[in-house]
Every structure is written in C-alpha cells, then in structure tokens.
Amino acid sequence: MDLRQLRYFVTVVAERNFNRAAERLHIAQPPLSRTIRQLEEEIGAELIDRSSRPLKLTAVGHLVHEQALQMLGRMEDMRAMVRTAVGSERRRFAMGFAASTMYARLPELIREFRIEAPDVELVLVESVTFDQIAALKEGRIDVGFGRIRFEDPSLQRTVLRYEALIVALPMASPLAQEEGPISIRALADLPLIIYPRQPRPSYADQVLSLFRDHSIEPRVVQEARELQTAIGLVAAEEGIAIVPETVRRARSHDVRYRELLEGATSPIIMSHRIGDSSPELRIMAGVIARKYGEWGYKVPEALKL
C-alpha cells in the first residue's frame, strides 16, 4: 500500500465515478481501475461497490477511506511544516502528543499557546508515549503529552489530571439500549477491541489491566493501530472498546457510550527534560495552568516552572 494508491482511492470516492476520477488525476481510466484493484487485493476486501450508480463504498471501504484521508492529511501537514522550517528563522518549540490526548482539550491549549507566543514556530508531532521519551532525550521534541507512566532520571513527568474511561458500544448491542453506568463485569464476555497495536506497553495495557484487576480475562478480537480505527470497528459491530470519555464528542451518531461503575481513569501526563526552563516551556505551563483554572480542573504544583 502506498500514498499514490490512497490518493487515487480518495479521488474515486470524491468523484463517485472512475472516468471523472481519471480525468481529475490526469491519467487513463484502465490504470486507475488496476490501482484500486491492487489496493483491494492487498487489503483483502472490496472497497467499492461497482454495481451501484453512482459508486458506493463498502463497509470496509468506509474504514479505509477515513484512514486514507487522515494519512494524506498528515503528509500535507508534514510538507507544510518542512516549508515553514526551511523558510523561517523563528524560535522552534516541538510538542509530541499521543493521539487520544487530542480529545482531552489539547487543541484548545495549542490555540492558546499560539496566541501567547505568535513568534514561536510550534511543531506538532504525533507519537506514543515511549517514542516521546526518546524524542525528548534526543532533543527532537521539547514537551510530550501522553498517558503511560514511566521512569527516567533525565525527564520530568507531571500528571495534569485523570480522565474517566467509558465503554464504546455498537448501536445494535442490547447494552447500548440501557441507561446509566455499566459494570466492567457486564462486559466480560464481549469481544474487545484494543489500541494501539504497538509499541507496548501502551494504553492497550491499561485497558487489559482494568479487566484483570477485576479477575476478568478479556476476549480481545482486534488490535487496532489507533483510536479512530478502534471506534470505527465498534461502529461496524466488531466489538466494544474502552476509551477516554472525551472521545464521545468526536463520534456519537453510530456508537453508544456508557460510563463505567468502577470509575476507571487514565492519566494525562506532560513530560519534559529536567532542568529545561526555556521561555516556550514556561509559556506552555502557564497556558495549561490558566486554562485548567478556567475549566475548573485542579492545577498541578509542578506547572509553576
């Protein structure tokens, strides 16, 4: 699978017609059709229902289309960042973030940081917590936001707050028709989707520990690469997923969310190099402290850098 295949696929979906898509891509229709067939063969499923007019996506096609848009968008973001870095002499502040923290009000903090530091080039790097550790120590990022606890003598981590975990259920599930919190024990026999697939340990291990802390061995049926894929698989009725509660804002039309009776939580952790007192890091800490105060969250003492 390569970006060219994904770009061709997204164009066919947008045009809902192979001929129009070929014209838009400035290629002939037969090689376009072959490319889509090759993509389907690699995935192992049809992505487009060719019997319908206009063309329609299959259930798997919807999942692949969603991921393809994200991947192509990331490539454009990378190109834009590189162009900015090459043509700018502004101070640079690189921030790593685990995907799920984007639902935990991180975009609002990013917007506020840009207002507070308009002359600073803010670079955003999506990465899991353990990749952030190496990136911090090597100087590739200046601050990281994740959910996994770790110990490293050269890095300081601050638990900003704890976010409640909830269960995401397919709409057709009988449990989705009920109201109120649900016990983890009621989920014991249901197929479970965890994420990310790798590297480990990760948030996936937090979820597995949640079940095992209650003497339940979960029935894992899928290991998704990222949160959005896991939620898409829930919508496709492949299983359930345990997710941070802020995820419910992102997708609710075909997934039902219920709180857990056990009150399980996941930490949101900020990490940076010990001894780093750069102006940019102080600005970020100040933004978090101020916004947390406005939102009614307890402000960690460690934010007073």
Side-chain angles (χ1 to χ4, degrees):
M1 187 184 306
D2 57 41
L3 291 175
R4 179 182 60 86
Q5 291 174 317
L6 296 181
R7 184 165 60 86
Y8 284 11
F9 173 59
V10 167
T11 304
V12 171
V13 175
E15 295 296 335
R16 305 178 75 181
N17 180 282
F18 276 95
N19 288 329
R20 288 199 300 271
E23 291 176 5
R24 179 170 160 185
L25 292 165
H26 305 293
I27 62 174
Q29 190 270 332
L32 173 60
S33 296
R34 284 196 300 272
T35 299
I36 302 302
R37 282 294 187 193
Q38 289 168 357
L39 180 61
E40 291 175 323
E41 289 171 4
E42 185 169 345
I43 290 172
E46 285 195 349
L47 305 179
I48 297 173
D49 180 0
R50 293 166 174 77
S51 65
S52 65
R53 291 293 182 274
L55 299 175
K56 292 183 180 179
L57 287 173
T58 64
V60 175
H62 280 287
L63 287 176
V64 174
H65 183 244
E66 182 177 314
Q67 295 304 308
L69 288 174
Q70 291 187 31
M71 292 178 68
L72 293 172
R74 288 172 188 163
M75 285 301 298
E76 287 303 314
D77 291 343
M78 185 188 75
R79 291 191 183 100
M81 285 191 296
V82 170
R83 285 194 297 268
T84 301
V86 169
S88 173
E89 295 183 355
R90 295 184 300 168
R91 298 196 315 273
R92 181 180 182 274
F93 186 66
M95 185 181 80
F97 63 94
S100 66
T101 60
M102 269 296 172
Y103 298 96
R105 312 198 79 161
L106 190 57
E108 295 161 272
L109 298 177
I110 292 170
R111 290 197 298 269
E112 196 69 17
F113 178 89
R114 292 188 187 279
I115 293 172
E116 290 287 321
D119 296 328
V120 174
E121 177 195 349
L122 178 61
V123 178
L124 304 178
V125 181
E126 181 182 346
S127 58
V128 297
T129 301
F130 281 92
D131 287 344
Q132 291 176 26
I133 296 173
L136 282 166
K137 295 169 72 172
E138 294 168 8
R140 289 184 282 115
I141 64 173
D142 302 292
V143 68
F145 294 89
R147 293 183 180 274
I148 308 302
R149 297 180 183 275
F150 65 88
E151 297 294 338
D152 191 292
S154 63
L155 301 179
Q156 177 175 325
R157 60 175 190 170
T158 301
V159 176
L160 299 178
R161 64 186 179 93
Y162 291 90
E163 186 176 5
L165 297 181
I166 57 177
V167 58
L169 298 156
M171 282 295 193
S173 169
L175 294 177
Q177 315 310 315
E178 301 175 7
E179 299 294 332
I182 186 172
S183 172
I184 196 77
R185 297 189 180 281
L187 310 175
D189 297 325
L190 298 181
L192 178 66
I193 300 163
I194 60 174
Y195 69 91
R197 181 183 303 152
Q198 58 185 355
R200 306 289 282 273
S202 67
Y203 173 80
D205 297 285
Q206 290 185 357
V207 171
L208 296 176
S209 294
L210 172 62
F211 281 87
R212 290 165 181 161
D213 286 348
H214 293 84
S215 301
I216 299 169
E217 187 58 36
R219 183 160 67 92
V220 177
V221 295
Q222 293 271 5
E223 294 189 16
R225 293 188 63 175
E226 56 185 37
L227 172 59
Q228 279 302 319
T229 303
I231 293 297
L233 290 169
V234 172
E237 302 182 6
E238 291 297 308
I240 66 168
I242 305 297
V243 299
E245 65 92 16
T246 44
V247 171
R248 73 168 84 215
R249 303 175 189 169
R251 184 167 187 166
S252 59
H253 66 284
D254 54 0
V255 176
R256 174 72 194 284
Y257 301 95
R258 292 182 64 183
E259 297 176 358
L260 294 172
L261 275 174
E262 289 75 11
T265 61
S266 176
I268 299 172
I269 302 173
M270 181 179 81
S271 306
H272 62 85
R273 290 179 291 275
I274 287 179
D276 186 351
S277 57
S278 68
E280 294 78 22
L281 187 58
R282 289 199 298 270
I283 292 171
M284 178 62 78
V287 164
I288 297 172
R290 184 174 69 256
K291 298 304 289 185
Y292 269 36
E294 292 176 8
W295 297 331
Y297 300 148
K298 182 180 178 181
V299 178
E301 285 293 322
L303 289 184
K304 301 174 182 177
L305 297 174

